[in-house]
Protein backbone atom coordinates (compact mmCIF):
# COMPACT_ATOMS: atom_id res chain seq x y z
CA UNK A 1 0.00 0.00 0.00
CA UNK A 2 2.84 2.42 0.88
CA UNK A 3 4.57 1.69 -2.45
CA UNK A 4 1.36 2.35 -4.34
CA UNK A 5 0.82 5.55 -2.38
CA UNK A 6 4.37 6.74 -3.18
CA UNK A 7 3.93 5.95 -6.89
CA UNK A 8 0.61 7.79 -7.01
CA UNK A 9 2.12 10.73 -5.12
CA UNK A 10 5.02 10.87 -7.59
CA UNK A 11 2.69 10.67 -10.58
CA UNK A 12 0.47 13.48 -9.28
CA UNK A 13 3.48 15.63 -8.36
CA UNK A 14 5.11 15.31 -11.77
CA UNK A 15 2.17 15.07 -14.16
CA UNK A 16 -0.90 16.76 -12.68
CA UNK A 17 -0.12 19.40 -10.05
CA UNK A 18 2.28 21.49 -12.17
CA UNK A 19 -0.52 22.01 -14.70
CA UNK A 20 -3.20 23.18 -12.25
CA UNK A 21 -3.08 26.95 -12.01
CA UNK A 22 -3.86 28.72 -8.78
CA UNK A 23 -2.70 25.98 -6.42
CA UNK A 24 0.09 28.19 -5.13
CA UNK A 25 -2.28 31.02 -4.19
CA UNK A 26 -4.43 28.78 -2.02
CA UNK A 27 -1.52 27.20 -0.17
CA UNK A 28 0.43 30.48 0.02
CA UNK A 29 -2.58 32.19 1.63
CA UNK A 30 -3.02 29.38 4.13
CA UNK A 31 0.67 29.23 4.94
CA UNK A 32 0.99 32.93 5.64
CA UNK A 33 -2.29 33.28 7.48
CA UNK A 34 -2.12 30.20 9.69
CA UNK A 35 1.60 29.63 10.14
CA UNK A 36 2.23 28.62 13.72
CA UNK A 37 5.49 27.99 15.45
CA UNK A 38 5.60 25.10 17.87
CA UNK A 39 8.15 25.50 20.61
CA UNK A 40 9.34 22.81 22.89
CA UNK A 41 12.16 21.78 25.14
CA UNK A 42 13.87 18.54 24.23
CA UNK A 43 16.00 17.03 26.98
CA UNK A 44 19.19 15.44 25.67
CA UNK A 45 21.06 13.19 28.07
CA UNK A 46 24.72 14.15 28.56
CA UNK A 47 24.37 17.29 26.46
CA UNK A 48 27.26 19.62 27.26
CA UNK A 49 26.09 22.61 29.30
CA UNK A 50 27.37 24.94 26.55
CA UNK A 51 24.56 23.65 24.34
CA UNK A 52 21.83 24.13 26.94
CA UNK A 53 19.13 26.42 25.54
CA UNK A 54 20.28 26.24 21.91
CA UNK A 55 17.47 27.41 19.63
CA UNK A 56 16.83 25.04 16.71
CA UNK A 57 14.60 25.99 13.79
CA UNK A 58 13.37 22.89 11.96
CA UNK A 59 11.62 23.55 8.65
CA UNK A 60 10.47 20.53 6.71
CA UNK A 61 8.30 19.53 3.76
CA UNK A 62 8.36 22.83 1.87
CA UNK A 63 7.31 21.14 -1.37
CA UNK A 64 8.43 24.17 -3.38
CA UNK A 65 6.79 24.03 -6.76
CA UNK A 66 3.19 24.24 -7.83
CA UNK A 67 1.94 24.73 -4.26
CA UNK A 68 4.23 27.43 -2.97
CA UNK A 69 4.52 30.97 -4.30
CA UNK A 70 8.08 32.26 -3.76
CA UNK A 71 7.00 35.62 -2.23
CA UNK A 72 4.97 33.76 0.42
CA UNK A 73 7.93 31.56 1.31
CA UNK A 74 10.17 34.62 1.60
CA UNK A 75 7.75 36.32 3.98
CA UNK A 76 7.35 33.15 6.07
CA UNK A 77 11.12 32.68 6.32
CA UNK A 78 11.50 36.33 7.35
CA UNK A 79 9.12 35.66 10.23
CA UNK A 80 10.86 32.46 11.23
CA UNK A 81 14.32 33.98 11.07
CA UNK A 82 13.07 36.66 13.46
CA UNK A 83 13.29 33.91 16.10
CA UNK A 84 17.10 34.13 15.74
CA UNK A 85 17.80 30.40 15.89
CA UNK A 86 21.27 29.09 16.73
CA UNK A 87 20.83 26.16 14.33
CA UNK A 88 18.67 25.80 11.21
CA UNK A 89 17.65 22.38 9.93
CA UNK A 90 15.86 21.87 6.61
CA UNK A 91 14.28 18.44 6.93
CA UNK A 92 13.72 17.27 3.36
CA UNK A 93 11.07 17.44 0.66
CA UNK A 94 12.36 20.82 -0.44
CA UNK A 95 10.75 20.33 -3.86
CA UNK A 96 7.66 18.51 -5.08
CA UNK A 97 9.00 16.81 -8.19
CA UNK A 98 11.46 18.96 -10.19
CA UNK A 99 14.95 20.21 -9.38
CA UNK A 100 14.09 23.52 -11.03
CA UNK A 101 11.47 24.19 -8.37
CA UNK A 102 14.34 25.33 -6.16
CA UNK A 103 15.31 28.07 -8.61
CA UNK A 104 12.23 30.22 -8.03
CA UNK A 105 12.82 29.95 -4.27
CA UNK A 106 16.58 30.60 -4.26
CA UNK A 107 16.16 33.91 -2.44
CA UNK A 108 14.17 32.41 0.40
CA UNK A 109 16.51 29.42 0.76
CA UNK A 110 19.56 31.66 0.59
CA UNK A 111 18.12 33.71 3.47
CA UNK A 112 18.39 30.65 5.74
CA UNK A 113 22.14 30.46 5.23
CA UNK A 114 22.55 34.25 5.11
CA UNK A 115 21.03 34.48 8.60
CA UNK A 116 24.34 32.99 9.76
CA UNK A 117 23.05 31.01 12.71
CA UNK A 118 25.92 30.46 15.13
CA UNK A 119 25.83 26.66 14.69
CA UNK A 120 25.03 26.62 10.97
CA UNK A 121 22.28 25.82 8.49
CA UNK A 122 21.92 22.23 7.32
CA UNK A 123 19.63 20.17 5.10
CA UNK A 124 18.81 16.56 4.26
CA UNK A 125 16.84 15.15 1.34
CA UNK A 126 13.36 13.65 1.46
CA UNK A 127 11.45 11.35 -0.87
CA UNK A 128 10.17 14.20 -3.05
CA UNK A 129 13.73 15.41 -3.57
CA UNK A 130 14.38 11.95 -5.01
CA UNK A 131 11.24 12.11 -7.16
CA UNK A 132 13.16 14.61 -9.28
CA UNK A 133 15.29 11.68 -10.45
CA UNK A 134 18.21 14.04 -9.80
CA UNK A 135 18.88 14.18 -6.05
CA UNK A 136 22.44 15.28 -6.83
CA UNK A 137 20.97 18.33 -8.57
CA UNK A 138 18.86 19.12 -5.50
CA UNK A 139 21.91 18.75 -3.23
CA UNK A 140 24.01 20.95 -5.52
CA UNK A 141 21.40 23.74 -5.59
CA UNK A 142 21.01 23.66 -1.82
CA UNK A 143 24.79 23.87 -1.40
CA UNK A 144 24.90 26.75 -3.92
CA UNK A 145 22.64 28.86 -1.69
CA UNK A 146 24.85 28.17 1.32
CA UNK A 147 23.12 25.27 3.06
CA UNK A 148 25.27 22.32 4.09
CA UNK A 149 23.63 19.10 2.95
CA UNK A 150 24.27 16.23 5.32
CA UNK A 151 23.98 13.33 2.94
CA UNK A 152 24.97 10.29 4.99
CA UNK A 153 27.55 12.33 6.84
CA UNK A 154 28.05 14.23 10.05
CA UNK A 155 29.57 17.47 11.24
CA UNK A 156 30.90 18.49 14.61
CA UNK A 157 29.21 21.52 16.12
CA UNK A 158 31.27 23.47 18.64
CA UNK A 159 30.34 25.90 21.34
CA UNK A 160 33.19 27.01 23.52
CA UNK A 161 35.17 23.93 24.49
CA UNK A 162 32.18 21.61 23.98
CA UNK A 163 31.20 19.70 20.86
CA UNK A 164 28.27 17.63 19.60
CA UNK A 165 27.85 15.64 16.41
CA UNK A 166 25.02 16.39 13.99
CA UNK A 167 24.37 13.62 11.46
CA UNK A 168 22.06 13.57 8.46
CA UNK A 169 21.03 10.60 6.35
CA UNK A 170 19.31 10.13 3.02
CA UNK A 171 15.57 9.47 2.79
CA UNK A 172 14.52 6.15 4.30
CA UNK A 173 12.26 5.06 1.43
CA UNK A 174 13.48 6.74 -1.75
CA UNK A 175 17.16 7.17 -0.93
CA UNK A 176 20.01 5.11 0.40
CA UNK A 177 20.32 6.02 4.07
CA UNK A 178 23.56 5.06 5.79
CA UNK A 179 23.50 6.03 9.46
CA UNK A 180 26.55 3.93 10.27
CA UNK A 181 28.51 5.67 7.50
CA UNK A 182 27.26 9.07 8.63
CA UNK A 183 28.49 8.44 12.16
Amino acid sequence: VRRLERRLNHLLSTRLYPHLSGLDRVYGFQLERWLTVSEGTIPVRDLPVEFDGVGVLLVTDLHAGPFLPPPALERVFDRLLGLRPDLILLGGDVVSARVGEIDANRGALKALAAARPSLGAFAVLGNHDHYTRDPEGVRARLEEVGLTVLHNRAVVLRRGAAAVVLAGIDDLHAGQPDLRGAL
Side-chain angles (χ1 to χ4, degrees):
V1 171
R2 288 291 297 164
R3 261 191 224 140
L4 179 61
E5 177 189 17
R6 283 192 292 274
R7 282 187 181 151
L8 179 60
N9 195 346
H10 180 256
L11 181 67
L12 291 172
S13 296
T14 57
R15 304 283 168 98
L16 177 63
Y17 298 147
H19 304 290
L20 296 176
S21 64
L23 283 178
D24 64 338
R25 285 177 284 196
V26 173
Y27 181 67
F29 174 79
Q30 290 176 339
L31 178 65
E32 288 189 83
R33 184 172 175 118
W34 292 301
L35 173 72
T36 58
V37 175
S38 298
E39 293 185 41
T41 301
I42 301 171
V44 178
R45 190 181 57 199
D46 299 326
L47 183 71
V49 69
E50 291 88 345
F51 286 89
D52 189 37
V54 163
V56 178
L57 174 61
L58 171 64
V59 179
T60 188
D61 293 275
L62 293 176
H63 293 279
F67 301 107
L68 188 60
L73 184 60
E74 289 175 15
R75 289 188 293 270
V76 165
F77 277 5
D78 282 345
R79 287 175 52 195
L80 293 174
L81 291 173
L83 299 170
R84 299 200 184 289
D86 301 299
L87 175 64
I88 296 174
L89 304 174
L90 191 56
D93 285 355
V94 177
V95 299
S96 288
R98 293 180 169 83
V99 175
E101 293 167 341
I102 291 177
D103 297 338
N105 294 283
R106 274 181 76 84
L109 292 167
K110 198 171 198 169
L112 294 179
R116 299 196 189 282
S118 61
L119 294 172
F122 302 90
V124 294
L125 299 187
N127 60 313
H128 278 261
D129 303 314
H130 281 273
Y131 289 172
T132 65
R133 292 188 172 36
D134 185 12
E136 274 301 317
V138 173
R139 280 195 291 275
R141 280 180 167 85
L142 291 174
E143 294 274 352
E144 285 169 9
V145 299
L147 296 166
T148 301
V149 179
L150 296 178
H151 183 73
N152 295 325
R153 68 184 183 104
V155 294
V156 176
L157 305 178
R158 298 188 186 284
R159 234 179 180 197
V164 297
V165 174
L166 176 68
I169 59 171
D170 200 4
D171 183 72
L172 180 61
H173 300 289
Q176 296 178 340
D178 182 5
L179 181 59
R180 188 176 306 245
L183 297 176

